[in-house]
Amino acid sequence: MSSRSLRRRLHHGDVDGKRKEHFDSSGLDSLSEPLLADDDYTENKKICTLEDLWDDERKRAQFHWTFIFSNIIAQWAQWLANVVLGSGSIIGRLLSFPYSALNLPNNRILPPSLSPLQEERVRHLRQRLEVPFDGSKAEHQDALKQLWKLAYPNRELPSLKSELWKEMGWQGSDPSTDFRGGGFISLENLIFFAKTYPDSFQRLLNKQDGIRADWEYPFAVAGINISFMLAKMLDLQAGNPSSLSGICFLKLLEEDEMAFDNLFCVAFQMMDAQWLAKRATYMEFNDVLKFTRAQLERELALEDISSVKDLPAYSMLR
């Protein structure tokens, strides 16, 4: 049996072999859950009790007071850094960016004020994230066709429901059924990847690098999961990102309106490199994606990163 036949027999609920990998994405209807997660997610949620509600109230109160005191400390640290120590010293630089030291509950930190340009670009990005894929819309159908032409410029375009779509890494003959985890933006990300970095796109699509596994990850579906992962990692469901990665991303977004799409390409290339390094198979996709997220978070937090092109992993794109 060929590796392609083996891949077609696998279903998204069994990717990690444990059927228990979930992400919460409240606030973005189109990003309801990652595609390769358990279909029984909603059935396994805990029932909220009165005690749970009281705990939530206590947590909100603690968060409120922590936020107030953190703001006071942050302002004092900023004043001390600028007036007493000066911004040129090592200690001054540390104190001049108090967000990295003042963690709030749930690994959140104080969000900075956004410039008008950042506000506009964050708003536009959130609008893109909220668009679900709709296979009945001509615009979305045309985008799928465009992706095929970019992926296989010398091949005939198949119908929107065809077994040929599986060769691109969709899980069935109808790609529209695979978008519930990522929305229309994930298709836009794939198209951007194919147009902006065609060599890297083709290498990953055709699995040209390294020694590949018998059970490879499906290319297109992997892209949907990467889009979902980035939206969660960058805290884009929030009105104002308050995760460290999200705050670092704001600076990239100010420099590049397409920073999310460029970061998608970097993350995809990084994921494939980790896949090869770990000699992973299809069943280990979620583990590789978690490792990719951790590595990307570390790179975003590096000093002197003002654009996606400054990330060390960007050099892997060709």
Side-chain angles (χ1 to χ4, degrees):
M1 182 180 294
S2 67
S3 59
R4 180 171 298 165
S5 298
L6 289 170
R7 288 200 298 274
R8 291 179 182 176
R9 290 176 178 266
L10 292 169
H11 299 283
H12 60 267
D14 300 316
V15 168
D16 63 354
K18 299 177 183 178
R19 300 188 59 83
K20 64 178 182 180
E21 184 64 25
H22 310 300
F23 291 86
D24 179 27
S25 57
S26 57
L28 287 178
D29 294 337
S30 60
L31 294 179
S32 57
E33 57 181 296
L35 181 66
L36 298 183
D38 193 344
D39 288 329
D40 298 329
Y41 172 67
T42 55
E43 297 178 7
N44 294 331
K45 286 184 177 178
K46 290 180 61 178
I47 298 176
C48 184
T49 64
L50 184 59
E51 182 178 356
D52 294 330
L53 294 175
W54 278 109
D55 287 340
D56 289 342
E57 290 297 327
R58 285 194 292 268
K59 289 177 181 177
R60 278 195 288 269
Q62 291 172 357
F63 178 86
H64 173 74
W65 287 109
T66 303
F67 182 84
I68 292 175
F69 285 119
S70 296
N71 267 302
I72 295 173
I73 295 172
Q75 293 173 9
W76 174 83
Q78 183 71 58
W79 173 83
L80 181 62
N82 293 336
V83 178
V84 179
L85 299 177
S87 59
S89 67
I90 295 177
I91 299 178
R93 288 199 299 271
L94 290 173
L95 290 177
S96 66
F97 186 60
Y99 308 114
S100 61
L102 297 175
N103 283 357
L104 293 177
N106 300 321
N107 295 320
R108 292 293 183 262
I109 50 185
L110 298 178
S113 299
L114 301 184
S115 68
L117 180 60
Q118 286 174 317
E119 289 182 350
E120 174 60 28
R121 289 182 173 178
V122 168
R123 180 164 53 250
H124 177 64
L125 183 54
R126 281 181 50 81
Q127 289 173 350
R128 291 178 62 194
L129 287 162
E130 291 169 356
V131 177
F133 181 85
D134 187 346
S136 66
K137 289 186 176 180
E139 177 188 358
H140 294 195
Q141 294 175 3
D142 290 343
L144 262 179
K145 295 175 183 177
Q146 182 184 11
L147 179 63
W148 178 273
K149 292 177 182 178
L150 290 167
Y152 307 111
N154 299 320
R155 296 179 60 180
E156 183 179 353
L157 177 68
S159 64
L160 291 175
K161 292 184 179 181
S162 169
E163 292 294 312
L164 293 176
W165 287 101
K166 294 180 181 180
E167 296 182 21
M168 191 188 292
W170 302 101
Q171 295 194 122
S173 59
D174 182 4
S176 64
T177 62
D178 284 345
F179 280 97
R180 65 181 176 81
F184 185 59
I185 193 173
S186 58
L187 179 55
E188 293 179 318
N189 291 154
L190 286 166
I191 292 172
F192 179 88
F193 192 9
K195 294 172 66 175
T196 310
Y197 307 100
D199 291 343
S200 291
F201 179 89
Q202 289 293 333
R203 289 200 330 271
L204 269 60
L205 170 66
N206 297 299
K207 306 296 195 304
Q208 294 174 351
D209 290 341
I211 300 174
R212 314 304 305 199
D214 288 335
W215 287 4
E216 276 290 324
Y217 65 84
F219 175 81
V221 175
I224 293 177
N225 278 262
I226 291 171
S227 296
F228 179 90
M229 178 270 288
L230 286 178
K232 294 294 296 179
M233 183 188 79
L234 301 176
D235 202 24
L236 294 175
Q237 75 275 18
N240 194 354
S242 57
S243 66
L244 178 58
S245 294
I247 290 174
C248 293
F249 174 73
L250 293 175
K251 182 166 61 174
L252 309 186
L253 193 61
E254 189 167 32
E255 295 295 323
D256 176 15
E257 185 177 6
M258 304 305 292
F260 184 85
D261 301 78
N262 276 305
L263 196 60
F264 168 87
C265 301
V266 172
F268 210 140
Q269 182 67 68
M270 184 185 290
M271 186 277 294
D272 189 77
Q274 292 297 335
W275 179 273
L276 291 174
K278 292 179 175 294
R279 298 183 178 180
T281 64
Y282 192 109
M283 305 289 281
E284 299 169 286
F285 178 83
N286 283 336
D287 292 335
V288 173
L289 194 61
K290 289 177 185 177
F291 194 90
T292 300
R293 170 173 173 163
Q295 182 181 354
L296 194 58
E297 287 174 332
R298 288 194 294 270
E299 292 200 7
L300 285 171
L302 293 174
E303 294 182 4
D304 302 323
I305 300 295
S306 59
S307 72
V308 175
K309 294 182 179 180
D310 294 330
L311 295 171
Y314 181 83
S315 61
M316 291 190 293
L317 289 172
R318 298 199 287 266

